[in-house]
Amino acid sequence: MNYSPKGTKEVLESNNFNFKKKFGQNFIVDENTINSIINKANIDSDTLVIEIGPGAGALTYKLSQVSKNVVCYEIDKTLENILKSNLKDSNNVEIIFDDFLKRNVKDDINKYRYSKLYVVANLPYYVTTPIIVKLIEDNINVDRIVVMVQKEVGDRFKAMPGTKDYNSLSIFINYYYDVKKVLDVSRNVFMPMPNVDSIVLSLDKKDVIYELEDKDYFFKLVRDSFKQKRKTIRNNLKEYNLDIVEKVLERSNFDLSTRAENIPINVFVDIANELVKYDRK
Ligand code: SAM
């Protein structure tokens, strides 16, 4: 397979391929970038890899060389011939031409045996968040998620308390995964070139997660706390028992005039657990 920008362009052109903005199609045309992503993912030969959006298959080809099996989801059927030809030597790759968001992933990977499950993808920007949320909510137990995302979106995923990007989504992701940036990627390595740079994040499943009395209640409380970003906890959590919320906040030197963006996960966990215990009394 030819990884040079010129080569990829030729393959796509000879198949009359038109890039589709609506599918977030910006393909990596730089071999160094692909090698760096593969290195950072640190995949072993007993790992099943899910790739969302293989595009022309540049990443897929390398993934197939280091993993046990690769299962890809590609929404754009017009890529079928290009993928078939670029991956003709990779017999451990299955390509499902469908919208990843509509799939029952558990059923799709049921037939595979593996010791670890990774997701590696250069994500379409327009569905980055729903894809990450689905990967977590589907309970398929992904050990590591290595994803290239637009820089601004990635900043939100790894945001820490007290920063402008910290929100309910960062708490949701950081509840289950340790998030770190492993690579900066310039916009120049893509075809067509996007308007922004990207980063690669590695999300590693936490060995120990905070114990929750009621998970749904916790995530609702977190979402409500951030409902109006500039407002205090007192204002956003009016519907909750504020005496209990205040008591828990004070244990960590916060009070009801604190904003959600300054409160760390463990304090939200304590608030939710205390409220649930109180309701059960
Ligand atoms: N992996 C390739 C690369 O790095 O060169 C392509 C990455 S491109 C940013 C995103 C790919 O995801 C495109 O091939 C696009 O057609 C595909 N895609 C977009 N939305 C999708 C969805 N909901 N389900 C599956 N694939 C999707």
Side-chain angles (χ1 to χ4, degrees):
M1 182 164 174
N2 194 339
Y3 291 102
S4 77
K6 195 166 162 281
T8 304
K9 199 163 172 259
E10 274 167 9
V11 174
L12 295 171
E13 271 172 6
S14 65
N15 282 276
N16 293 323
F17 179 76
N18 293 313
F19 285 97
K20 294 167 200 71
K21 221 176 171 178
K22 66 172 178 176
F23 292 147
Q25 289 178 340
N26 301 97
F27 295 174
I28 307 171
V29 289
D30 172 59
E31 186 164 7
N32 287 336
T33 305
I34 285 164
N35 288 338
S36 299
I37 297 172
I38 300 287
N39 284 339
K40 297 292 176 186
N42 202 4
I43 299 162
D44 72 38
S45 56
D46 207 23
T47 301
L48 172 67
V49 177
I50 293 175
E51 188 192 5
I52 300 137
L59 198 51
T60 325
Y61 176 72
K62 286 275 163 137
L63 287 170
S64 75
Q65 292 184 316
V66 292
S67 60
K68 191 170 184 192
N69 291 95
V70 187
V71 175
C72 304
Y73 295 89
E74 177 52 65
I75 199 168
D76 185 357
K77 212 103 196 351
T78 70
L79 285 162
E80 190 165 0
N81 288 339
I82 296 167
L83 276 168
K84 270 194 184 142
S85 126
N86 285 346
L87 299 170
K88 61 179 182 309
D89 300 326
S90 311
N91 55 14
N92 58 347
V93 177
E94 177 186 354
I95 306 170
I96 298 170
F97 285 95
D98 201 358
D99 180 347
F100 174 74
L101 293 173
K102 293 192 182 142
R103 299 298 298 193
N104 183 329
V105 182
K106 238 184 209 168
D107 284 355
D108 291 338
I109 62 173
N110 199 16
K111 58 177 178 276
Y112 292 101
R113 295 285 159 262
Y114 51 86
S115 62
K116 275 178 261 159
L117 176 62
Y118 285 13
V119 169
V120 182
N122 171 16
L123 286 183
Y125 68 89
Y126 76 110
V127 278
T128 299
T129 299
I131 285 175
I132 301 279
V133 170
K134 177 177 167 65
L135 286 170
I136 295 175
E137 284 187 339
D138 275 8
N139 273 323
I140 49 170
N141 216 359
V142 184
D143 295 289
R144 176 174 291 164
I145 305 173
V146 178
V147 280
M148 167 126 66
V149 295
Q150 287 194 347
K151 195 179 168 312
E152 292 70 26
V153 181
D155 285 343
R156 254 174 279 144
F157 291 172
K158 64 178 178 54
M160 301 305 282
T163 62
K164 71 172 174 27
D165 291 315
Y166 185 64
N167 62 14
S168 54
L169 176 67
S170 6
I171 294 187
F172 177 71
I173 292 173
N174 284 274
Y175 178 77
Y176 295 100
Y177 286 89
D178 288 319
V179 184
K180 60 177 192 289
K181 183 181 85 173
V182 292
L183 208 63
D184 283 301
V185 181
S186 154
R187 66 193 75 178
N188 295 318
V189 305
F190 299 98
M191 190 172 87
M193 190 174 81
N195 296 326
V196 291
D197 295 322
S198 293
I199 56 177
V200 178
L201 296 176
S202 179
L203 284 65
D204 285 290
K205 195 167 70 164
K206 287 192 162 144
D207 294 330
V208 183
I209 56 173
Y210 293 109
E211 266 181 47
L212 288 170
E213 298 286 333
D214 180 337
K215 206 178 271 179
D216 293 340
Y217 185 93
F218 169 74
F219 287 117
K220 181 177 181 322
L221 174 94
V222 170
R223 279 195 306 275
D224 287 344
S225 302
F226 282 90
K227 212 162 36 190
Q228 289 183 275
K229 229 183 162 227
R230 307 307 301 163
K231 289 208 167 167
T232 62
I233 286 291
R234 180 186 285 107
N235 282 313
N236 277 335
L237 296 187
K238 269 194 198 119
E239 318 294 320
Y240 292 77
N241 184 329
L242 283 177
D243 289 340
I244 292 178
V245 176
E246 185 173 33
K247 239 188 344 210
V248 181
L249 282 172
E250 282 174 352
R251 291 206 297 251
S252 305
N253 294 325
F254 296 110
D255 56 41
L256 290 174
S257 64
T258 309
R259 288 194 190 122
E261 65 193 19
N262 291 309
I263 299 176
I265 291 191
N266 63 307
V267 177
F268 279 116
V269 169
D270 288 347
I271 297 173
N273 283 346
E274 289 292 327
L275 287 168
V276 171
K277 278 188 218 153
Y278 183 81
D279 281 351
R280 282 189 193 144
K281 271 185 199 160

